[in-house]
Amino acid sequence: MDKPLRIIISGGGTGGHIFPAVSIANAIMAKHPDAQILFVGALGRMEMQRVPQAGYQIKGLPVRGLARPLYSPKNIGVIIDYFRSKRLAKKIVRSFKPQVAVGVGGYASAAALNAAESLGVPCLIQEQNSYAGKTNKMLGSKASVICVAYDGMERFFPADKIIKTGNPVRQNVVNSDITPQDARKQFGLDPDKKTILLVGGSLGARTINESMKQHLDKVKAADVQFIWQTGKYYNAEMNKAVADFGEIPNLKVVDFISDMGAAYKAADLVISRAGASSISEFCLIGKPVILVPSPNVAEDHQTKNAMALVSKDAAIYVKDAEAADTLLDKALATVADDAKLASLKENILKLGLKNSADVIADEVIKLANK
């Protein structure tokens, strides 16, 4: 290609959309350092901070999700904002003149990719989940290429457009070279003691937090140690519960973990929600995991993500509604069973697809060259 690549990448709303988007951008830049990449996101959502932190320019659209119930009067404003966003997206596309538009899901990608497609720009979408999101399902018929992470996605998309690439992940997580012993020391824990890591995302997961809060006596009595990421919303409440209970030497409570590579290395077992990006990381690093899918997501897609692993004996599933009663006991029994940990590790490693961001970047470049 004679002229520099010009690519629009759109989507966001959650880290599960933003991390893959940035990883794809980084992979494109590694192959074409002179490429020009513009992100399009939703005003007020986390991509408006996270994307500039990653070194990329972003334009915001006033797009937002539909309120519940669907007949709510609030949705009149939502619909007006969508059409405003589509007009703004057309202006952005005409001004930036991209050769390809990439959508990763989220509110903004519907407006941006519809605008791009209507102006003759070829589109690629990346679907992270085993159950396709509404935005990507809507865009599937218009996209030239659809990159997926799971088998069976022809239920949602034209089979001849699908490429199984896996999900791009944070490279600092996959490539962390710290030892488990040094990682535990980094968290102020015994370097030689088995460790359970609990994560609920940057904002936290109430169910996982309550499963710990209600059983601090079992936590203290356990012959293992815990790293408990509460999330910023719940940190004060959980720290107060621990303070009221009394000293628990085998427990490290934090609101946010910046070095997830070290946290995963420190852990013999992880307890997590079942977001697509997290699952992809567990597959690539071979980490035994208990998945507690969030019930508060579209089409219950986290449960479907989890069951794709559970059906291959590559993860353990605990239902959200049962977690407060059963999760901690299940985790303690699992971490004490070396054969089970080894089996989970072996099976989850089989599901990892490496170099996903590079493969997707190559598909973007192919589209641009056409």
Side-chain angles (χ1 to χ4, degrees), residues 216 220 239-249 251:
L216 292 176
K220 186 172 183 177
N239 267 304
K240 184 179 185 304
V242 173
D244 291 346
F245 180 87
E247 187 178 355
I248 307 177
L251 174 64

Side-chain angles (χ1 to χ4, degrees), residues 127-133 149-150 153 155-156 167 273-280 283 289 291 293-294 297-312 314-315 317 348 351:
E127 175 54 58
Q128 293 103 33
N129 294 293
S130 62
Y131 193 95
Y150 292 89
M153 298 303 287
R155 292 178 295 160
F156 309 107
N167 285 325
R273 289 303 200 187
S277 292
S278 296
I279 285 179
S280 294
C283 291
V289 61
L291 296 170
S294 171
V297 294
E299 276 90 24
D300 195 24
H301 69 251
Q302 285 204 5
T303 297
K304 296 176 177 71
N305 290 348
M307 298 314 294
L309 271 66
V310 173
S311 66
K312 296 178 172 64
Y317 165 65
I348 201 168
L351 305 179

Side-chain angles (χ1 to χ4, degrees), residues 38-242:
L38 176 66
F39 280 74
V40 179
L43 289 170
R45 303 298 296 231
M46 68 167 66
E47 60 264 27
M48 300 308 295
Q49 285 76 45
R50 296 287 180 86
V51 168
Q53 287 169 3
Y56 295 100
Q57 182 186 6
I58 186 167
K59 301 280 188 181
L61 303 176
V63 66
R64 51 201 168 102
L66 289 167
R68 296 289 186 271
L70 290 176
Y71 55 77
S72 168
K74 294 179 182 177
N75 284 329
I76 296 172
V78 173
I79 292 167
I80 291 170
D81 281 345
Y82 175 76
F83 285 106
R84 283 178 59 212
S85 296
K86 197 169 177 182
R87 286 196 299 273
L88 281 170
K90 279 194 172 183
K91 287 183 180 178
I92 291 169
V93 172
R94 287 193 180 105
S95 173
F96 187 71
K97 298 182 175 61
Q99 287 121 345
V100 180
V102 177
V104 297
Y107 304 136
S109 64
L113 266 72
N114 269 318
E117 190 274 338
S118 71
L119 294 171
V121 178
C123 299
L124 176 149
I125 59 175
Q126 198 261 326
E127 175 54 58
Q128 293 103 33
N129 294 293
S130 62
Y131 193 95
K134 288 180 180 178
T135 297
N136 278 347
K137 281 192 284 187
M138 181 180 70
L139 294 170
S141 62
K142 300 176 181 180
S144 300
V145 177
I146 302 165
C147 298
V148 302
Y150 292 89
D151 294 325
M153 298 303 287
E154 59 275 3
R155 292 178 295 160
F156 309 107
F157 304 120
D160 60 333
K161 297 181 179 182
I162 294 174
I163 300 173
K164 189 178 177 184
T165 60
N167 285 325
V169 298
R170 297 171 287 184
Q171 290 306 307
N172 63 330
V173 169
V174 176
N175 298 331
S176 177
D177 57 3
I178 192 171
T179 66
Q181 291 76 18
D182 286 342
R184 290 171 192 147
K185 285 181 186 177
Q186 189 170 300
F187 286 94
L189 297 172
D190 184 332
D192 299 313
K193 200 167 192 176
K194 281 190 174 180
T195 303
I196 297 173
L197 168 68
L198 300 99
V199 288
S202 58
L203 301 181
R206 174 160 289 282
T207 297
I208 292 174
N209 287 332
E210 287 293 329
S211 300
M212 286 288 280
K213 179 185 174 185
Q214 294 179 23
H215 301 289
L216 292 176
D217 55 338
K218 290 183 180 180
V219 172
K220 186 172 183 177
D223 190 30
V224 296
Q225 52 199 3
F226 299 82
I227 302 169
W228 179 12
Q229 182 197 277
T230 63
K232 68 176 184 178
Y233 284 171
Y234 304 105
N235 189 246
E237 178 187 348
M238 298 304 148
N239 267 304
K240 184 179 185 304
V242 173

Side-chain angles (χ1 to χ4, degrees), residues 287-341:
K287 189 57 58 176
V289 61
I290 297 177
L291 296 170
V292 187
S294 171
N296 306 312
V297 294
E299 276 90 24
D300 195 24
H301 69 251
Q302 285 204 5
T303 297
K304 296 176 177 71
N305 290 348
M307 298 314 294
L309 271 66
V310 173
S311 66
K312 296 178 172 64
D313 295 321
I316 294 170
Y317 165 65
V318 171
K319 190 175 182 179
D320 184 88
E322 299 169 0
D325 294 328
T326 65
L327 178 58
L328 190 58
D329 288 339
K330 175 76 75 174
L332 291 171
T334 302
V335 81
D337 187 340
D338 289 338
K340 183 64 174 177
L341 291 176

